[in-house]
Amino acid sequence: MTAVTARIAHGVAAIAPADWDACAGAGNPFLSHAFLSILEESGSAVAQTGWQPIPIVVDAADGAPGAIAPAYAKSHSQGEYVFDHGWADAWERAGGHYYPKLQVAVPFTPVPGPRLLLRDPALAAPLIAAVEAVTDQHGLSSAHATFIDPDQLPLFEAAGWLIRAGTQFHWRNQGYAGFDDFLGCLASRKRKAIRKERAAAVEGLTIRHVTGAEISEADWDAFWIFYQDTGARKWGRPYLTRDFFSLLGERMADSVLLILAERDGAPIAGALNLIGGDTLYGRYWGCIEDVPFLHFELCYYQAIDAAIARGLATVEAGAQGEHKLARGYVPITTWSAHYIPDPNFRRAIEGFLQREREAVESDQDYLGALTPFRKT
């Protein structure tokens, strides 16, 4: 193998947008230079919040980046959605220091996608080797690539990384002409239940979809209040700053779909989605008024409406949530890969992952039999 040189950049913003996006491609908005640099510039994913951006770059023969790993030095395990707190506790009890660790991921975003951003596919193995070298040379406990695109999984397996399985629930568009067409594929009892939920959720409300230049700062002000309420309940404090949303509207508005529920012209709830090449990604939701079924309406049913209208193939509505199953979202496997340099710690993790994967497979078999679609 020809020797290659890797480098650590001082943040995503230190790399030219055109160079980054040439590696990342255009299909997944979360991997774009715009999105990741907004996380930095807004103070959301920075060293002070435990997410120090240290992209690892391998340059191609032309001198421009040929491969990039969106890497972060982490001082905690928050905002990752692949839970390793038990690993951290075990390593600390054994006298080690689990933090800092290296995370190859999109902060606060459990969306599958490439974790090796490759303009030159031949640089995949050297890039993984560079991630390992950064981990070893800086005395880090481990490196973790989370929510990996399944197509890249063999690259990590070939490098000897440990593989972990998880479950999400995604909605698949089978060429539906509209929401009623989708409902027609469900069992009668499920169709009736969803129609009742939708009617109850929107009674007395107006639902508004806004995107692009239609999104105003007043809309972001309202959504910030919703997001703060959800963040305080789920994580103790919100991960994203208020500036993040303004910058998102300024630089990526055409990729944003904001769904707002209004009562008498005033927003009471909202759901934030990003529009990808073939997928609608549901990210955040919140409310200031408790309305039965409104969460399902804004986050799941309105997202399905929007995906059908745009001809998108998939709705990804975030991590976990077996309640999505009854709404037509089906279980899919998500993947992460883990580099554990210490051989004893690696053996312990490997045994745990084998047992966990068997449980995940069994659980998915069970969940797959519970989908609301008519049995044929």
Side-chain angles (χ1 to χ4, degrees):
M1 179 185 296
T2 303
V4 298
T5 301
R7 56 188 171 90
I8 298 175
H10 296 292
V12 177
I15 301 173
D19 287 342
W20 183 284
D21 291 337
C23 294
N28 189 318
F30 299 101
L31 292 165
S32 68
H33 186 278
F35 185 82
L36 293 171
S37 62
I38 287 170
L39 284 173
E40 281 183 38
E41 187 174 334
S42 66
S44 301
V46 291
Q48 292 85 341
T49 64
W51 286 85
Q52 181 180 352
I54 51 168
I56 299 170
V57 183
V58 176
D59 291 326
D62 60 6
I68 304 173
Y72 296 82
K74 290 292 306 296
S75 59
H76 53 66
S77 291
Q78 298 168 12
E80 296 170 8
Y81 301 92
V82 175
F83 303 111
D84 64 349
H85 301 89
W87 303 2
D89 290 344
W91 191 231
E92 297 284 342
R93 286 197 304 271
H97 296 286
Y98 193 71
Y99 304 108
K101 63 176 183 175
L102 191 67
Q103 197 78 20
V104 181
V106 179
F108 326 121
T109 307
V111 170
R115 294 301 177 255
L116 308 172
L117 312 183
L118 303 173
R119 180 168 66 92
D120 181 356
L123 294 178
L127 182 59
I128 293 176
V131 173
E132 295 174 354
V134 169
T135 303
D136 295 340
Q137 292 168 11
H138 290 81
L140 306 181
S141 70
S142 49
H144 311 265
T146 48
F147 296 101
I148 299 169
D149 187 309
D151 290 344
Q152 289 195 342
L153 201 61
L155 298 171
F156 289 94
E157 289 179 311
W161 288 41
L162 301 179
I163 304 302
R164 189 176 192 182
T167 301
Q168 284 187 359
F169 298 86
H170 297 176
W171 179 84
R172 305 296 196 193
N173 188 352
Q174 304 297 331
Y176 301 119
F179 196 89
D180 284 342
D181 193 19
F182 157 63
L183 285 183
C185 295
L186 306 186
S188 174
R189 182 170 59 87
K190 298 296 186 180
R191 287 199 303 271
K192 292 176 182 177
I194 289 175
R195 288 193 174 110
K196 286 179 66 176
E197 281 188 0
R198 298 203 72 177
V202 301
E203 186 175 0
L205 301 178
T206 300
I207 307 299
R208 187 163 62 99
H209 289 212
V210 287
T211 190
E214 299 171 333
I215 306 174
S216 68
E217 276 300 299
D219 293 328
W220 287 125
D221 285 338
F223 189 78
W224 170 244
I225 294 172
F226 307 148
Y227 171 72
Q228 280 188 301
D229 177 70
T230 300
R233 286 186 285 106
K234 280 191 172 183
W235 315 302
R237 69 171 183 82
Y239 293 136
L240 304 174
T241 66
R242 174 62 182 85
D243 285 347
F244 169 85
F245 295 100
S246 290
L247 290 171
L248 188 69
E250 176 186 318
R251 300 177 189 174
M252 295 184 66
D254 289 340
S255 297
V256 173
L257 172 63
L258 195 58
I259 302 176
L260 298 170
E262 299 177 340
R263 189 183 301 281
D264 300 325
I268 66 161
L272 173 64
N273 305 266
L274 262 64
I275 306 165
D278 64 356
T279 301
L280 185 69
Y281 301 96
R283 288 307 306 120
Y284 301 105
W285 123 281
C287 64
I288 57 172
E289 183 180 325
D290 186 15
V291 178
F293 308 119
L294 188 56
H295 172 249
F296 302 147
E297 176 64 24
L298 294 192
C299 296
Y300 308 145
Y301 303 140
Q302 290 288 332
I304 290 173
D305 282 336
I308 292 173
R310 287 170 167 76
L312 299 176
T314 306
V315 176
E316 294 187 17
Q320 303 156 338
E322 292 184 11
H323 55 277
K324 296 170 186 160
L325 196 68
R327 278 92 200 168
Y329 290 69
V330 299
I332 65 102
T333 303
T334 58
W335 301 100
S336 59
H338 308 270
Y339 172 65
I340 313 291
D342 184 272
N344 294 325
F345 192 35
R346 176 189 166 92
R347 279 194 294 271
I349 297 298
E350 188 171 22
F352 166 80
L353 292 181
Q354 178 60 41
R355 295 188 298 272
E356 183 187 54
R357 185 183 296 192
E358 292 170 358
V360 168
E361 291 174 353
S362 177
D363 192 45
Q364 287 192 357
D365 288 343
Y366 171 73
L367 293 171
L370 298 179
T371 62
F373 294 91
R374 286 183 293 160
K375 304 300 186 287
T376 58

